Amino acid sequence: DAGVIQSPRHEVTEMGQEVTLRCKPISGHNSLFWYRQTMMRGLELLIYFNNNVPIDDSGMPEDRFSAKMPNASFSTLKIQPSEPRDSAVYFCASRGYGGGVSGYEQYFGPGTRLTVT
Amino acid sequence: AQSVTQPDIHITVSEGASLELRCNYSYGATPYLFWYVQSPGQGLQLLLKYFSGDTLVQGIKGFEAEFKRSQSSFNLRKPSVHWSDAAEYFCAVGPPRGDDKIIFGKGTRLHILP
């Protein structure tokens, strides 16, 4: 299995520009999570989906952030307009539903390092 | 409120020495418990997990963790660390039914002295 795939791995953009981060979860997984990691705030959950439906978006910082999951194999996190304080590493993670004692751990992608100048 | 506390932000140990990273949680019921490791520039990788049964669980890379219900703790241990263990370690807890988000601690950064 290829694991969780994120693109791009690095993104440098100017303030005010739109940024789109992409995630392909592990095939067969039914939950997807977007996290943001910074030195100051650590690892923060932004939003998560179960079966392509957003369940909890309380971590989304503000209306500039939006996330979609049009199908089970693809999700996007969009920032419009971007600001320097959005600079962080953004992780996508997916989780299967194996039931019993397995299936509840999350598998993380390698992350997208976003720099907004 | 549900929370995870990793009281040590940084820990430094010598290569070959034993290691224990602390994790305490606050949860309404016995949660699912996880330890993840993050190497520099990488995503988080699952080290081990506890759902039920034997309270001492074995993980990858020679790590183990012990669940102590009376202390609401899930400490991570390794008998002898290697330089490659230098990384950040995250403890996390999730709901018993397993279908909700999990809560991560703020992490402990492990430094290894040669």
Side-chain angles (χ1 to χ4, degrees):
Chain A
D1 197 322
V4 176
I5 298 172
Q6 291 188 247
S7 65
R9 293 294 309 277
H10 301 273
E11 177 80 36
V12 180
T13 190
E14 292 184 347
M15 182 173 62
Q17 296 298 306
E18 177 180 294
V19 175
T20 299
L21 311 181
R22 297 173 176 79
C23 175
K24 177 179 170 55
I26 293 172
S27 177
H29 282 189
N30 67 331
S31 296
L32 185 139
F33 303 78
W34 282 102
Y35 292 89
R36 177 173 68 176
Q37 186 178 42
T38 61
M39 290 291 291
M40 291 298 295
R41 300 173 69 90
L43 191 65
E44 304 173 276
L45 176 66
L46 300 177
I47 184 171
Y48 80 96
F49 298 81
N50 280 348
N51 298 314
N52 312 336
V53 176
I55 302 300
D56 185 348
D57 65 354
S58 60
M60 296 286 262
E62 48 198 275
D63 291 346
R64 296 185 298 107
F65 286 69
S66 62
K68 294 182 179 180
M69 192 165 186
N71 57 62
S73 59
F74 184 66
S75 177
T76 60
L77 177 68
K78 186 175 294 186
I79 307 172
Q80 166 63 19
S82 58
E83 297 182 3
R85 59 191 168 125
D86 301 329
S87 297
V89 181
Y90 290 82
F91 289 104
C92 174
S94 71
R95 180 181 66 195
Y97 184 69
V101 296
S102 67
Y104 297 139
E105 62 268 29
Q106 295 179 18
Y107 293 84
F108 282 75
T112 295
R113 182 173 295 277
L114 173 66
T115 302
V116 183
T117 60
Chain B
Q2 302 161 358
S3 66
V4 178
T5 302
Q6 294 181 248
D8 303 305
I9 298 174
H10 295 271
I11 281 188
T12 301
V13 299
S14 298
E15 190 169 17
S18 63
L19 171 71
E20 182 169 27
L21 302 183
R22 295 182 291 164
C23 173
N24 292 95
Y25 66 89
S26 174
Y27 214 86
T30 300
Y32 289 135
L33 296 155
F34 309 88
W35 274 100
Y36 284 83
V37 61
Q38 184 181 27
S39 298
Q42 305 294 315
L44 279 70
Q45 180 185 20
L46 181 70
L47 278 177
L48 48 78
K49 60 190 179 187
Y50 172 78
F51 295 129
S52 64
D54 191 347
T55 56
L56 184 64
V57 293
Q58 303 297 319
I60 62 172
K61 305 185 181 187
F63 285 91
E64 65 178 27
E66 186 172 12
F67 169 60
K68 293 185 177 180
R69 185 191 306 273
S70 61
Q71 299 178 19
S72 297
S73 69
F74 188 56
N75 294 350
L76 182 71
R77 301 194 294 250
K78 187 170 184 177
S80 176
V81 298
H82 186 263
W83 64 267
S84 60
D85 293 325
E88 189 152 22
Y89 293 79
F90 294 89
C91 181
V93 300
R97 66 180 184 275
D99 59 352
D100 203 346
K101 61 188 177 184
I102 65 176
I103 301 169
F104 284 87
K106 294 193 178 300
T108 296
R109 185 167 295 277
L110 175 64
H111 306 271
I112 307 294
L113 295 176

